[in-house]
Amino acid sequence: MQKDLALFNEIAQELLADEVKNPVVRPIPIEELFDTLDLSLPEEATKDEDFIAALKGLVLNTPRTTTKHFFNQLFGGRNSRAMLGELLSALLNNSMYTYKVGGPMIGMEKLIINKLRDMVGYGEEAGGTLATGGSMTNFMAMLMGRDAFDKGIKGKGVSQTMTLYTSSESHYSIPKNATFMGVGRDNVRFVRTNERGEMLVEDLEAKIQEDITNGFIPFFVNATASTTVLGAFDPISEIGDICHKYKLWFHVDGAFGGSVLFTDKYRHLLKGVEKTDSFSINAHKMLGTPLACSVILAKDKKHLYHTFSNKASYLFQMHEEDFNPGKISLQCGRRNDALKFWTLWKSVGTNGLGRIVEHQFHLADMARDYIRNHPDYTLYSFDDSVCICFNYKGIPADELCNRLYDEAALMVGFGNFRGVQFIRLVTINYGNQTEDIIGFFETLEEFAEIHF
Ligand SMILES: *Cc1c(COP(=O)(O)O)cnc(C)c1O
């Protein structure tokens, strides 16, 4: 073990040094991949030096998601305290289902859940757990909503046509999960949005009424706190009133923007979140922990127990229910994703987490200012979002982004809204400063000058 820990350090140092020099790795074309790197799995043991060379080749050629040139997805940066927690989770290798196996880690996780519960505005009867990502925490919410509507579905399955509602800009996990849960993706109603990509509450109510008239059974509404492309926040409070009126389960998908919970300045974007039945948040997006760290909260934990608990005498043998979170889990074995959140939170405090989030909005404001002051750019996104959607000199966004990747200049992606395609810059890397955002635009401009 000592030898491999030393090797880990050696590889880490090499990677960190190379990341500074080469923030974007030159991608290996897929057709050359298996000839370029030694990825083969041999019949016999590999000699140490060959093993180390193969491993380094693999690591050093992997896309760099933590550098100042990575703007491609809704995560980025590297927080060393959070990383420390992640490494220790792997070293300890606990499974978070029982107090017997997880020990104090169960209590640590519980405190994270309780803090978040209080911040959302739920009461003591609320509960929560972690799952492998935002798609899965959304799935858990949808399953709870289904079972809350009809307790018998757990036994007999879905026999009615149940309908659920989400905006046309919401995450694809909503229709995908609808297939898994027996509701069917044809029964997902995509509610229209306004020009800012926010759900239109009138259209939500119209769709609910139409379904009722047609004999369908509405049961669930998902609102999104920061949509994936534009970063729009649905009007949670108004949607909550509709859900109350029609007695529908109300979930907020806060995978991306739920972290504004931590800042007084942007908390208003979640106004009315206490009206929800469930709420999900990814700490691996705006808060910057390593992948994955996704929390689901339920206003009343009885729903978590109803939907997810299962008898398992070989597993649940000791301690009270509350300290055996395996009873409310989607999984059996569950890795300790909470520790990296705890190491981060413990080290910077709740206010520090708020500053992390505010800094990203600040960088986004800078980026929007830059675009507004430069006539070669067209801006498509709005304030109060860390997604900056734009085009440059009318160059097709997909061609520009793909070329930037091929030439190892920048990692940035493109998106669509109402038939327009644009580049989506996400200022989610807390380690970036204003000059890094200016640097992004300058790199892009120089690149476009040469290649287009
Ligand atoms: C990222 C995202 C998800 C999915 O989360 P994963 O952890 O990637 O599965 C769900 N909803 C929204 C709004 C997201 O941005």
Side-chain angles (χ1 to χ4, degrees):
M1 191 68 214
Q2 294 304 339
K3 231 172 88 185
D4 278 336
L5 280 178
L7 177 60
F8 174 82
N9 257 320
E10 181 186 319
I11 295 175
Q13 294 307 335
E14 239 174 87
L15 176 67
L16 295 183
D18 202 48
E19 279 179 348
V20 177
K21 276 185 282 165
N22 303 303
V24 186
V25 282
R26 190 158 284 278
I28 302 173
I30 294 172
E31 56 282 7
E32 294 167 23
L33 177 61
F34 299 102
D35 297 327
T36 309
L37 297 178
D38 173 17
L39 305 182
S40 64
L41 293 168
E43 292 304 315
E44 303 298 337
T46 306
K47 276 196 301 190
D48 273 5
E49 59 197 88
D50 296 339
F51 170 80
I52 293 169
L55 180 58
K56 282 188 179 174
L58 184 54
V59 168
L60 293 172
N61 283 287
T62 295
R64 297 180 174 173
T65 64
T66 64
T67 69
K68 291 173 177 298
H69 283 52
F70 183 83
F71 301 96
N72 205 73
Q73 241 81 45
L74 305 182
F75 63 92
R78 184 188 284 128
N79 178 287
S80 63
R81 280 286 156 87
M83 180 61 62
L84 181 63
E86 176 70 339
L87 294 172
L88 289 170
S89 286
L91 191 66
L92 284 162
N93 198 35
N94 298 96
S95 186
M96 299 291 276
Y97 36 41
T98 60
Y99 190 73
K100 189 177 183 186
V101 174
M105 292 293 175
I106 305 291
M108 173 277 296
E109 182 179 85
K110 187 172 276 304
L111 278 189
I112 291 176
I113 302 285
N114 289 353
K115 273 275 195 191
L116 291 172
R117 166 197 80 189
D118 295 346
M119 292 168 84
V120 169
Y122 290 162
E124 298 271 302
E125 61 294 341
T129 185
L130 283 81
T132 51
S135 301
M136 286 298 108
T137 45
N138 281 344
F139 189 36
M140 293 181 79
M142 293 166 78
L143 291 168
M144 284 190 284
R146 183 197 68 182
D147 295 348
F149 167 74
D150 178 354
K151 298 229 164 338
I153 285 177
K154 258 184 97 166
K156 65 183 187 320
V158 179
S159 52
Q160 301 131 308
T161 305
M162 298 170 73
T163 52
L164 66 96
Y165 306 80
T166 191
S167 90
S168 53
E169 293 303 300
S170 64
H171 191 258
Y172 72 83
S173 57
I174 304 293
K176 185 167 156 176
N177 290 335
T179 66
F180 301 162
M181 65 197 283
V183 162
R185 66 166 65 214
D186 292 351
N187 298 314
V188 178
R189 305 287 183 255
F190 293 99
V191 180
R192 285 191 287 117
T193 64
N194 64 16
E195 74 291 344
R196 295 168 59 97
E198 302 156 354
M199 187 191 282
L200 283 171
V201 180
E202 311 83 75
D203 191 48
L204 169 65
E205 185 159 22
K207 284 192 159 64
I208 292 170
Q209 286 176 345
E210 191 188 331
D211 281 330
I212 293 172
T213 306
N214 291 329
F216 297 130
I217 301 166
F219 76 103
F220 179 96
V221 177
N222 172 67
T224 310
S226 199
T227 57
T228 310
V229 176
L230 286 181
F233 285 77
D234 286 337
I236 294 173
S237 192
E238 288 86 339
I239 296 170
D241 294 340
I242 302 274
C243 291
H244 190 73
K245 182 170 165 190
Y246 293 93
K247 299 193 168 46
L248 312 178
W249 186 279
F250 183 25
H251 174 64
V252 164
D253 173 4
F256 183 11
S259 300
V260 300
L261 266 188
F262 288 90
T263 131
D264 291 342
K265 194 166 169 198
Y266 295 96
R267 172 70 164 77
H268 66 91
L269 297 168
L270 294 177
K271 191 168 154 286
V273 69
E274 68 286 349
K275 297 181 187 178
T276 55
D277 298 291
S278 55
F279 174 78
S280 56
I281 175 172
N282 278 356
H284 67 254
K285 287 186 171 170
M286 294 189 81
L287 297 179
T289 71
L291 284 159
C293 187
S294 188
V295 181
I296 174 77
L297 300 174
K299 181 180 258 167
D300 190 333
K301 66 181 166 208
K302 74 171 188 227
H303 295 291
L304 283 164
Y305 282 98
H306 174 67
T307 296
F308 299 106
S309 74
N310 219 83
K311 285 203 176 67
S313 54
Y314 61 86
L315 183 61
F316 303 113
Q317 298 174 337
M318 289 175 77
H319 302 109
E320 70 241 51
E321 201 157 71
D322 233 25
F323 276 78
N324 285 333
K327 292 236 163 145
I328 54 169
S329 176
L330 193 62
Q331 302 147 244
C332 175
R334 183 166 63 90
R335 77 189 298 280
N336 183 356
D337 286 329
L339 184 57
K340 56 198 161 199
F341 197 177
W342 186 88
T343 51
L344 174 64
W345 199 334
K346 183 84 174 168
S347 62
V348 303
T350 309
N351 293 335
L353 294 179
R355 283 192 291 274
I356 288 176
V357 173
E358 284 178 21
H359 181 63
Q360 293 163 26
F361 280 102
H362 169 70
L363 293 177
D365 288 339
M366 296 287 108
R368 277 184 292 267
D369 280 349
Y370 186 94
I371 287 176
R372 289 187 180 117
N373 291 327
H374 288 74
D376 287 337
Y377 289 87
T378 320
L379 182 65
Y380 300 95
S381 56
F382 302 91
D383 290 352
D384 290 344
S385 163
V386 297
C387 298
I388 299 95
C389 302
F390 67 92
N391 276 322
Y392 179 65
K393 287 190 170 171
I395 302 170
D398 50 352
E399 287 177 33
L400 185 49
C401 291
N402 294 347
R403 200 74 201 267
L404 283 161
Y405 162 77
D406 284 336
E407 302 295 331
L410 285 170
M411 293 276 282
V412 65
F414 51 91
N416 282 286
F417 180 60
R418 298 193 167 175
V420 183
Q421 191 193 62
F422 39 63
I423 297 178
R424 182 191 61 165
L425 163 69
V426 196
T427 56
I428 204 160
N429 180 351
Y430 169 68
N432 276 341
Q433 301 302 327
T434 307
E435 58 268 26
D436 299 311
I437 301 302
I438 307 295
F440 166 86
F441 289 116
E442 289 173 353
T443 306
L444 183 138
E445 288 160 21
E446 282 162 30
F447 188 87
E449 195 63 44
I450 298 167
H451 296 277
F452 288 88

